[in-house]
Each structure stands twice: as structure tokens, then as C-alpha cells.
């Protein structure tokens, strides 16, 4: 009986995986300056379990990349002036929106990266957990190192501006969350580019979070190695 139960369980898991792998993927867009945009061309995304293309991703042109960088530069000052509490609120909202889309993101990650569904679900849960923890951290950009009648020594942390983030293929949404989260919570803005092997889950994150952060704070583009070199 035990063997039978395990056998049925294995069949059910295989059927669930097959449904996930066969699920159609709608065209995803890049997030540039608060707008969701198609690229000037597309490139195929291959499912490693089948060796076949199952979706397409947008190719970011050089003009579009320049637009993304300019949008991030324009948003930098106001995002820094917003203050830690507002950035924490935005990150908390981001975690909630990602959590609400966990199934969609997990299924997409299975298709583009080849993770088992349980591992993909675990990765998306880790994204949510990371964002929630970031939202709870008390950020201080100024620390008094020495204070006396003669002098006061203050250490100040200064945001650097626009961050160019390029992520690899092995943990696509989690590494995107690491780069995005740390940059944004320290009052920087970011232009994020995922690996051309696994662009879809990061593009989906951009779509999910498009209305969470002010325009230009978070930008997500995709394309081949040349886009990374331009960035």
C-alpha cells in the first residue's frame, strides 16, 4: 500500500510539472521610467528541460537603455529625499505583491531555468522573505563617532546614485531582489538586467512592481550580452 501511495504521488507530481512546463507564456515587457515597454526586437527563451524555445523576451535598444538610465538619474534625488520610512513602506508593499503572484512566478521560473517546482516555490518565498526583512531594518545614514566640547566627528553614508545591476541565470528572481532591494533601500535607483538565459521571471518582477516604486526608481531591461556591456 505504501508503494502504491508513493507511486500515485510521483505520478501526480509529474502531471503537475507537465502542466507547468506546457503553460503558455504571454509576452513580458521591460520597465523603463515607470512605463512597461516592448523592445525593438525579441529573442527566444529556451526551456532547458526540452531544449526548445517556449517564449520570447524583449531586446532593449541602446536608446531604450539610455532612457532607463536617464529615468533612474532623474528619480535619484527625490527617492533619496523620500526618507527611510517611505522606502520601507514601498518595500513592504513590494513583498506583498510578489507573494500574491508566487504561483505565476514559480511556474515561470520552472520553465525558463529548469528548477523543480518545489525549488522554484522556495526561491520565490525567499524573495518575499528578503523584501520583508529589508522593510524592517532601521536605516541610519549618519553616525556620531566622537563628540566633545572641542569637536564632533560624524560619519555619513552617501547614496552613490544609479546602480547598474546584472544578474546571472542560476537564481534569477532572488538575485534580482538582492540587487534591487539593497540599492533601493539605501536611497539609490537601479537599472536591472537579467541573464539572457533566464530573463522572464525578472521581467515579471518588473511588471508586478511597476506601480510600487516611483517612476525611474526601478528599471528592468533585457537583451543579450551587448546590453550588459552598454550598461
Amino acid at each position: 500500500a505504501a508503494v502504491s501511495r508513493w507511486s500515485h504521488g510521483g505520478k501526480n507530481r509529474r502531471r503537475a510539472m507537465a502542466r507547468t512546463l506546457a503553460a503558455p507564456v504571454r509576452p513580458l515587457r521591460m520597465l523603463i521610467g515607470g512605463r512597461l515597454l516592448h523592445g525593438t526586437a525579441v529573442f527566444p527563451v529556451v526551456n532547458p528541460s526540452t531544449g526548445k524555445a517556449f517564449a520570447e523576451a524583449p531586446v532593449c535598444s541602446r536608446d531604450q537603455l539610455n532612457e532607463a538610465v536617464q529615468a533612474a538619474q532623474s528619480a535619484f534625488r527625490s527617492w533619496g529625499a523620500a526618507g527611510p520610512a517611505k522606502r520601507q513602506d514601498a518595500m513592504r508593499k513590494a513583498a506583498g505583491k510578489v507573494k500574491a503572484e508566487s504561483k505565476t512566478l514559480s511556474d515561470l521560473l520552472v520553465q525558463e531555468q529548469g528548477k523543480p517546482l518545489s525549488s522554484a516555490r522556495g526561491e520565490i518565498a525567499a524573495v518575499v522573505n528578503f523584501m520583508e526583512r529589508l522593510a524592517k531594518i532601521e536605516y541610519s545614514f549618519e553616525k556620531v563617532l566622537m563628540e566633545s566640547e572641542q569637536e564632533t566627528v560624524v560619519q555619513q553614508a552617501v547614496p552613490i546614485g544609479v546602480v547598474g545591476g546584472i544578474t546571472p541565470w542560476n537564481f534569477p528572481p532572488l538575485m534580482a531582489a538582492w540587487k534591487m532591494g539593497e540599492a533601493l533601500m539605501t536611497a539609490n535607483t537601479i537599472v536591472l538586467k537579467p541573464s539572457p538565459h533566464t530573463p522572464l521571471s525578472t521581467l515579471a518582477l518588473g511588471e508586478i512592481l511597476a506601480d510600487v516604486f516611483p517612476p525611474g526608481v526601478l528599471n528592468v531591461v533585457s537583451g543579450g550580452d551587448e546590453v550588459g556591456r552598454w550598461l
Side-chain angles (χ1 to χ4, degrees):
V3 172
S4 176
R5 283 198 297 273
W6 280 110
S7 176
H8 288 311
K11 288 179 181 178
N12 289 338
R13 286 192 293 273
R14 287 193 293 274
R15 290 193 189 106
M17 181 65 76
R19 286 194 298 270
T20 297
L21 293 174
V25 176
R26 64 172 178 81
L28 292 164
R29 294 163 292 175
M30 301 180 291
L31 177 61
I32 297 176
R35 297 182 299 153
L36 293 171
L37 302 175
H38 295 287
T40 54
V42 295
F43 64 95
V45 181
V46 174
N47 184 325
S49 72
T50 64
K52 297 178 181 179
F54 73 100
E56 293 177 330
V59 175
C60 180
S61 70
R62 191 150 198 171
D63 286 343
Q64 286 177 316
L65 181 62
N66 289 340
E67 183 182 347
V69 172
Q70 289 167 5
Q73 289 172 335
S74 297
F76 169 61
R77 190 176 298 276
S78 59
W79 180 242
K86 186 170 182 178
R87 292 192 289 272
Q88 286 174 314
D89 288 343
M91 191 59 64
R92 197 173 296 112
K93 183 179 179 182
K97 295 200 74 170
V98 172
K99 187 174 183 178
E101 296 293 339
S102 292
K103 183 183 185 305
T104 299
L105 288 167
S106 298
D107 289 351
L108 196 56
L109 184 55
V110 168
Q111 289 178 285
E112 72 170 348
Q113 204 259 341
K115 274 187 170 67
L117 185 56
S118 59
S119 298
R121 288 170 176 165
E123 183 170 342
I124 302 305
V127 170
V128 174
N129 179 263
F130 178 72
M131 289 179 167
E132 289 175 340
R133 287 191 293 113
L134 275 183
K136 295 176 183 177
I137 295 174
E138 295 292 334
Y139 291 87
S140 175
F141 289 85
E142 191 171 287
K143 180 180 180 181
V144 177
L145 301 180
M146 181 187 302
E147 190 170 16
S148 68
E149 292 182 0
Q150 289 77 33
E151 62 181 353
T152 299
V153 180
V154 178
Q155 180 187 67
Q156 290 183 322
V158 180
I160 62 174
V162 178
V163 175
I166 300 175
T167 55
W169 59 269
N170 51 343
F171 291 93
L174 183 56
M175 291 195 177
W178 288 348
K179 289 187 183 293
M180 174 195 74
E182 292 172 355
L184 300 192
M185 291 305 291
T186 51
N188 300 286
T189 56
I190 190 167
V191 179
L192 190 62
K193 180 204 170 291
S195 164
H197 299 293
T198 54
L200 301 179
S201 54
T202 303
L203 288 168
L205 278 178
E207 289 197 0
I208 291 166
L209 303 179
D211 63 349
V212 173
F213 301 99
V217 170
L218 170 64
N219 304 271
V220 182
V221 300
S222 60
D225 293 344
E226 71 283 352
V227 179
R229 287 192 293 269
W230 297 338
L231 183 58

